[in-house]
Amino acid sequence: MNQAERDRLVTLRKAKKKLITQRQAAEELGVSVRQVKRLLVALKKRGDKAVIHGLRGKPSKRKIDEKIQCKAMQVLSREDYQGFGPTLASEELERRHQIEVSRETLRKWMVAEKLWRAGKRKVEQIHVMRPRRSRFGEMVQWDTSDHDWLEGRRERLYLIGMVDDATSRGLARFVESDSTLTNMEALEMWLQRHGRMMSCYTDKASHFQSTEKSKRDEQDCGKDGKTMPPTQIARALGELNITWIAAHSPQAKGRIERFFETAQDRLVKGMRVSGVKTLAEANAYLEKEYLPWWNQNCAVIPASADDAHRPLEARHDLAAILSHVEPRKVKNDYTLQYEGKTYAIERADISTGLRGSVVRVERRRDGSLAIRFRDKYLRYKPCEPVQKVVQPKVRKPASGARKATNAGGKSEWMKKFMNRPGPDINKAIAIANATS
């Protein structure tokens, strides 16, 4: 019996002894006069227990059967469910094992079985949140997460994700490497589903921004940096009329960071329970299970119902735009060099101004090659490489080698000395006397 119940008992005893009226007791207890009469009758029959609720100490009729509780704890004790929190565990039990239990009830069970240990979160540095954009497609945050997504069941994978700033709607795919090619494929997925966004918000990775190389000990000294050519993704965004915005810190693109933070918890555990082991299975689970859950439960309604995406037009050839593009100069014989090979333009496609001009060479993602001059694609054929005639090398004697000597014999430098042509002896004496 607690203190409040003791105070109620004192008031009822006063009313029973008629020290106060039943109406005064009702006002003091905050109940009706009829309820006071009921309590007085119960006090006469049950004694002091009349002020205690009749259901105290009895099991609730809504209590879950102990067999269901034991089954739920056996499931969560498996290695597959290691690290699951009450919220995710409650959802998985209902979806996979048809066990319906509330998050709070499950949390109490898990704490009792030492499967969950709730702790207070440390207060981290607070960053002022930037207001969301008002329209879907006005700005899309884009990044890649490097994490052990399959927990060692396969080689390491990367998750390329794109999240709309206004709605938090997400799109992602697993890839084997974080390259320009894989990022272009992720961009193509968004463009084909929603259209061209107004802007993209990314970090300053080498896929998006070219940086000037400098020596470690060199300083800028206040000089203006050189204008670097755009990367392949930056060029593609420019051709699609999509603005690229660089983030100066991870906190600046917090929506995509929170998308990855949730995925590193829920997505990893979901793939573990589903037995995902390959790249294809990971992308299938991501597309069919995780992304629908994210867009249904974590997306929000934008401030404006207008869609800022712009449709892809006929001139937007994604195969050409989302490729590796380099300029090449056409020589006087209508050939050009690319990747160490020589290509000759077909005679039928030779036009005025082609000689000496710069053409656009596109290495498509499927491995094919396309050459464009102005708005026309040119037919070409590879030239067979000219085989060089290799001349046999003549060995020269080493500079430090000594000439053969007449070892052990008499020197022959005076041999046939007198037979050599020379001036007459009389002339030689006359010359000698004249010069002495």
Side-chain angles (χ1 to χ4, degrees), residues 31 34 70 102-103 215 220 268 310 314 321 361 392 402 430:
V31 297
R34 184 175 295 181
C70 293
S102 66
R103 177 184 61 185
K215 295 181 179 180
D220 292 341
V268 169
R310 299 156 295 170
I321 296 174
V361 181
R402 295 180 61 183

Side-chain angles (χ1 to χ4, degrees), residues 68-113:
I68 299 177
Q69 179 180 351
C70 293
K71 182 180 178 181
M73 293 299 100
Q74 288 177 359
V75 171
L76 297 180
S77 299
R78 288 167 17 191
E79 186 178 356
D80 294 346
Y81 289 90
Q82 184 178 1
F84 275 53
T87 303
L88 182 57
S90 176
E91 296 174 4
E92 292 295 320
L93 286 175
E94 182 178 359
R95 187 167 66 92
R96 298 179 182 273
H97 304 279
Q98 292 74 45
I99 299 177
E100 296 185 11
V101 57
S102 66
R103 177 184 61 185
E104 185 60 25
T105 301
L106 187 60
R107 186 189 68 82
K108 294 178 181 178
W109 292 355
M110 295 176 69
V111 170
E113 295 291 333

Side-chain angles (χ1 to χ4, degrees), residues 12 29 53 60 72 90-91 99 108 110 116 122 125 144 152 161 185 206 243 251 271 323 361-362 372 389 399 420 436:
L12 289 176
L29 296 177
H53 199 280
S60 173
S90 176
E91 296 174 4
I99 299 177
K108 294 178 181 178
M110 295 176 69
W116 177 251
K122 296 181 180 180
Q125 185 179 359
T144 302
E185 292 174 350
S206 58
T243 305
Q251 293 79 11
M271 291 192 297
S323 61
V361 181
E362 301 170 358
R372 192 177 78 182
V389 179
S399 58
R420 295 177 185 177
S436 59

Side-chain angles (χ1 to χ4, degrees), residues 149-150 153-154 157-159 172-175 267 271 275-291:
W149 295 102
L150 297 182
R153 298 188 297 275
R154 190 193 178 279
L157 297 179
Y158 298 86
L159 181 63
R173 67 189 302 267
F174 285 108
V175 294
L267 180 56
M271 291 192 297
V276 175
K277 296 181 180 180
T278 64
L279 175 62
E281 292 175 353
N283 278 320
Y285 181 87
L286 181 68
E287 190 70 24
K288 297 178 181 179
E289 300 287 342
Y290 184 76
L291 288 178

Side-chain angles (χ1 to χ4, degrees), residues 215-228:
K215 295 181 179 180
R216 185 175 299 177
D217 55 347
E218 286 184 352
Q219 301 293 332
D220 292 341
C221 300
K223 296 181 180 179
D224 295 335
K226 296 181 181 179
T227 302
M228 302 297 294

Side-chain angles (χ1 to χ4, degrees), residues 206-210 227-238 325:
S206 58
H207 308 316
F208 307 104
Q209 185 183 35
S210 300
T227 302
M228 302 297 294
T231 62
Q232 294 296 328
I233 293 181
R235 173 201 51 78
L237 292 176
V325 177

